Amino acid sequence: MPIVVAGSINVDLIQSVEALPRPGETILALASARLPGGKGANQAVAAARAGAAVRMIGAVGDDESGAWMVAQLAAADVTTKDIATIEGALTGAAYIAVDRSGENQIIVASGANTSLSPAMVGAVADTEIRVAQLEVPVATVATFFAAPGDGQTRRVLNAAPALPEAISLFALTDILIVNQHELAVFLDLDRPPSTPQEALAARALICRENQLIVVTLGASGAIAVRADSAVHVPAFPVVPLDAIGAGDCFVGALCAMLDQAGEAGVTDEGLLTFASAAAALCTQKPGAIPAMPLRSEIEAFIATHVTGSRPI
Ligand code: RIB
């Protein structure tokens, strides 16, 4: 059964800079690149490279960028027949600055992504794992998740960017994945949690039986929180070159692991370890889609790097 990703497709216009610009400042880029991206497309490719059969539902404009993005997805073995081309619309574009430490700032011009309507995501009854993010309309994600499934259906929401109105989707979600900044928005915290213990506050978002909440904490790793248990997996020790798409890589790899485990299941620790290793590898190459690792690379990385985990 394929993983179905409903989400955004963007062209990433990346400027490498010495330091991210301050308000009012003009700076010169050290290098520029045009690479395929978008949270939905990134997650679809990450899952495909991690070994899953993936179908993408999305929208591009009828411009050169749209045709290029569909070709990029197809080249990564993602099924693209449900990507609509919207007449007169521009393909989504993300304006990205990356500094020497790999930190980035992103502004997204949504373009055709806003045209992904509820009617375009209705036909998903035969799918086991549905994946969505928040660069497409919340009403579309709601329809995608509310469509009937079978006993194996899993709805995975990466609630990024953190739109407060997306809280209405949480009751439709089996696995919610957020980073510490997004968690702070959804919990209305004064500052993002920085330790696994602080991130346990995520438990307050649990609103249905067997729900899993995953919080990624950058250099502090990731936690998996359930109503009655929680586990922390530390980050793999890598020096990031470029963190663009690393969160999406985490989500896509986690879904691929979930899919491949099938009915035998996988522990929360196993899910986080695989996803964290994939994300660590993603930070070692420039851009998002070109940096998504193969399953064999993830497995080899895990075999040679120790991370460990512990209940919290
Ligand atoms: O998460 C990274 C992605 O966010 C980029 O590829 C960019 O397109 C934006 O959607």
Side-chain angles (χ1 to χ4, degrees):
M1 301 277 277
I3 291 175
V4 181
V5 179
S8 58
I9 299 172
N10 297 332
V11 170
D12 287 352
L13 302 164
I14 304 170
Q15 310 302 325
S16 301
V17 297
E18 186 66 43
L20 297 174
R22 294 180 297 251
E25 190 180 21
T26 299
I27 59 172
L28 300 179
L30 303 171
S32 302
R34 177 182 187 256
L35 296 174
K39 293 188 193 302
N42 295 344
Q43 292 174 18
V45 172
R49 292 240 174 93
V54 183
R55 177 163 67 95
M56 170 112 207
I57 305 175
V60 294
D62 60 351
D63 49 9
E64 183 274 332
S65 293
W68 183 66
M69 282 304 305
V70 172
Q72 295 290 321
L73 285 159
D77 283 336
V78 173
T79 300
T80 58
K81 67 181 173 55
D82 295 310
I83 298 176
T85 300
I86 310 296
E87 205 179 319
L90 294 172
T91 297
Y95 299 88
I96 304 178
V98 189
D99 74 12
R100 282 213 185 268
S101 73
E103 189 59 75
N104 64 61
Q105 284 176 339
I106 305 180
I107 300 172
V108 175
S110 296
N113 292 308
T114 60
S115 299
L116 190 70
S117 68
M120 292 157 77
V121 296
V124 286
D126 62 344
T127 59
E128 283 187 289
I129 301 177
R130 298 178 197 164
V131 188
Q133 329 70 35
L134 299 175
E135 289 184 334
V136 296
V138 169
T140 300
V141 178
T143 300
F144 182 54
F145 280 5
D150 60 21
Q152 296 299 309
T153 303
R154 294 282 177 281
R155 283 105 173 155
V156 180
L157 177 65
N158 174 217
L163 306 178
E165 64 268 32
I167 283 192
S168 62
L169 298 172
F170 293 2
L172 299 169
T173 299
D174 298 296
I175 302 179
L176 172 67
I177 305 175
V178 290
N179 67 24
Q180 71 265 53
H181 305 285
E182 293 146 3
L183 181 63
V185 172
F186 290 119
L187 289 176
D188 201 16
L189 304 175
D190 293 338
R191 62 171 180 82
S194 57
T195 65
Q197 284 72 20
E198 286 180 2
L200 280 176
R203 191 169 271 140
L205 296 176
I206 292 179
C207 55
R208 62 185 279 179
E209 211 181 341
N210 294 327
Q211 200 171 32
L212 169 63
I213 302 194
V214 173
V215 184
T216 59
L217 297 161
S220 296
I223 64 167
V225 185
R226 295 185 183 272
D228 53 5
S229 66
V231 64
H232 170 228
V233 171
F236 285 89
V238 294
V239 178
L241 167 75
D242 167 346
I244 300 169
D248 300 327
C249 183
F250 183 99
V251 174
L254 184 147
C255 291
M257 184 55 150
L258 203 60
D259 180 47
Q260 281 147 21
E263 289 188 19
V266 54
T267 62
D268 294 342
E269 175 192 347
L271 277 180
L272 262 53
T273 300
F274 189 77
S276 300
L281 285 168
C282 180
T283 69
Q284 302 302 290
K285 291 183 183 168
I289 283 179
M292 298 306 172
L294 295 168
R295 183 179 187 87
S296 56
E297 295 171 324
I298 302 168
E299 288 174 343
F301 184 80
I302 292 172
T304 53
H305 291 73
V306 178
T307 176
S309 69
R310 63 182 180 84
I312 49 173

